[in-house]
Amino acid sequence: MPRYDLHAHSTYSDGLLAPAALVERAAARGVDVLALTDHDDTGGLAEATAAANACGLTLVAGAELSVSWEVHTVHVVALAIDPANRILDDGLAAIRCGRDARAHRIAESLARAGIAGAYEGARRFVTSDRLISRSHFARFLVEAGHAREVKDVFKRYLAVGKPGYVAHAWASLPDAIAWIHAAGGLAVLAHPGRYKVTATGMRRLLTDFRDAGGDAIEVLSPSHTAAQCAEYATHARTFGFLASAGTDYHGPGESWLDLGDLPDLPAGVVPVWSKW
Ligand code: AMP
Ligand code: MN
Ligand code: MN
Ligand code: MN
């Protein structure tokens, strides 16, 4: 069976590897089908596709859209999109355009906690002019000695309720799904186990996602415990969602799983790739 990894980031958002290097690493690790899913941007897909063609890997064109749902930020992975689609491209540009002002607000919040110069500090880690994210602040905070490694930063900074967290209005769930569908893609709720919601809240999110036309949920993700993988497999079956799998790889030293390091999907779910 081919090996799938349908969630990964490059330097076009907050990943550490350029698209071609990411694809080459995936191929070397035995991944047959890789989706590049940069946050709110499809700029890396041309380079990734060329690299994939050169090394015999199948590249799925994707993106990971930032969405506001109730008081939460949730992520929707788009898979098998046409990156040239104007509706999606305009939507992604609209999501990205708030990021710089948000970054200034993050820096002001960190300044109030005694950490100066965070905007300029984070900017030095940015690898695409179009996108600044909390990951870039996290790298700055490690460099400045406020945490040992990026995986630790979010325990004390940048997460809800911590210095450096600011509320932000992203896309709406129905808009994000509509843009993905306009571009011919499938909408996948990313790492559902990561959202801080009650069981009732999760059912509401899954219901809203389904009602807005969502196609699939990530069942396998390094954000999930084994029990959560089983739980989301059950949710996929009962809500009628396809099941996806991805490492959410961001680069050497920053990720919980390397490219392709995923178990098989649990029995009884329909893989999202059955649609291709
Ligand atoms: P942003 O889209 O700017 O809010 O940044 C979100 C990114 O920060 C995610 O895609 C992750 O790469 C990173 N991130 C968020 N929370 C954590 C966490 N708890 N641990 C590690 N990385 C995180
Ligand atoms: Mn990220
Ligand atoms: Mn995400
Ligand atoms: Mn991601």
Side-chain angles (χ1 to χ4, degrees), residues 229-250:
C229 292
E231 180 188 343
Y232 288 103
T234 300
H235 281 316
R237 284 197 302 270
T238 54
F239 281 83
F241 292 126
L242 301 164
S244 191
T247 56
D248 205 357
Y249 186 73
H250 281 74

Side-chain angles (χ1 to χ4, degrees), residues 13-104:
S13 62
D14 59 351
L16 296 172
L17 301 179
L22 181 81
V23 166
E24 283 154 20
R25 185 183 182 98
R29 296 185 52 81
V31 174
D32 299 295
V33 183
L34 174 74
L36 176 62
T37 58
D38 276 311
H39 297 285
D40 309 325
D41 203 309
T42 56
L45 291 171
E47 180 184 325
T49 303
N53 290 339
C55 64
L57 177 148
T58 300
L59 196 282
V60 174
E64 182 175 16
L65 281 67
S66 309
V67 165
S68 294
W69 175 81
E70 297 189 347
V71 299
H72 305 279
T73 296
V74 302
H75 287 170
V76 178
V77 165
L79 294 177
I81 48 168
D82 169 11
N85 181 271
R86 266 297 292 276
I87 292 170
L88 177 63
D89 204 45
D90 288 352
L92 293 177
I95 304 179
R96 284 195 307 269
C97 94
R99 278 185 173 271
D100 192 63
R102 170 192 184 238
H104 281 288

Side-chain angles (χ1 to χ4, degrees), residues 5-256:
D5 188 339
L6 300 180
H7 189 156
H9 296 274
S10 79
T11 47
Y12 278 80
S13 62
D14 59 351
L16 296 172
L17 301 179
L22 181 81
V23 166
E24 283 154 20
R25 185 183 182 98
R29 296 185 52 81
V31 174
D32 299 295
V33 183
L34 174 74
L36 176 62
T37 58
D38 276 311
H39 297 285
D40 309 325
D41 203 309
T42 56
L45 291 171
E47 180 184 325
T49 303
N53 290 339
C55 64
L57 177 148
T58 300
L59 196 282
V60 174
E64 182 175 16
L65 281 67
S66 309
V67 165
S68 294
W69 175 81
E70 297 189 347
V71 299
H72 305 279
T73 296
V74 302
H75 287 170
V76 178
V77 165
L79 294 177
I81 48 168
D82 169 11
N85 181 271
R86 266 297 292 276
I87 292 170
L88 177 63
D89 204 45
D90 288 352
L92 293 177
I95 304 179
R96 284 195 307 269
C97 94
R99 278 185 173 271
D100 192 63
R102 170 192 184 238
H104 281 288
R105 290 189 290 124
I106 290 174
E108 286 158 17
S109 170
L110 289 171
R112 284 193 292 276
I115 297 170
Y119 179 82
E120 295 72 21
R123 268 278 159 213
R124 281 190 289 103
F125 289 91
V126 165
T127 48
S128 162
D129 281 346
R130 286 149 58 119
L131 197 129
I132 183 163
S133 90
R134 281 185 292 161
S135 299
H136 304 111
F137 281 91
R139 290 170 193 151
F140 160 73
L141 289 168
V142 171
E143 182 199 56
H146 298 285
R148 279 236 329 273
E149 51 177 353
V150 165
K151 287 178 192 168
D152 294 333
V153 177
F154 291 86
K155 292 176 191 143
R156 277 188 288 146
Y157 302 99
L158 305 174
V160 177
K162 308 282 160 70
Y165 180 83
V166 300
H168 187 72
W170 303 103
S172 77
L173 190 57
D175 280 354
I177 294 170
W179 300 336
I180 293 165
H181 286 168
L186 294 168
V188 185
L189 185 66
H191 42 65
R194 218 159 97 176
Y195 308 128
K196 301 271 185 285
V197 296
T198 61
T200 312
M202 180 52 65
R203 278 196 294 278
R204 212 162 55 239
L205 171 57
L206 294 172
T207 301
D208 287 358
F209 184 68
R210 185 177 59 189
D211 290 350
D215 303 287
I217 63 174
E218 271 183 357
V219 168
L220 298 184
S221 164
S223 300
H224 291 172
T225 62
Q228 285 177 315
C229 292
E231 180 188 343
Y232 288 103
T234 300
H235 281 316
R237 284 197 302 270
T238 54
F239 281 83
F241 292 126
L242 301 164
S244 191
T247 56
D248 205 357
Y249 186 73
H250 281 74
E254 281 201 17
S255 292
W256 283 263

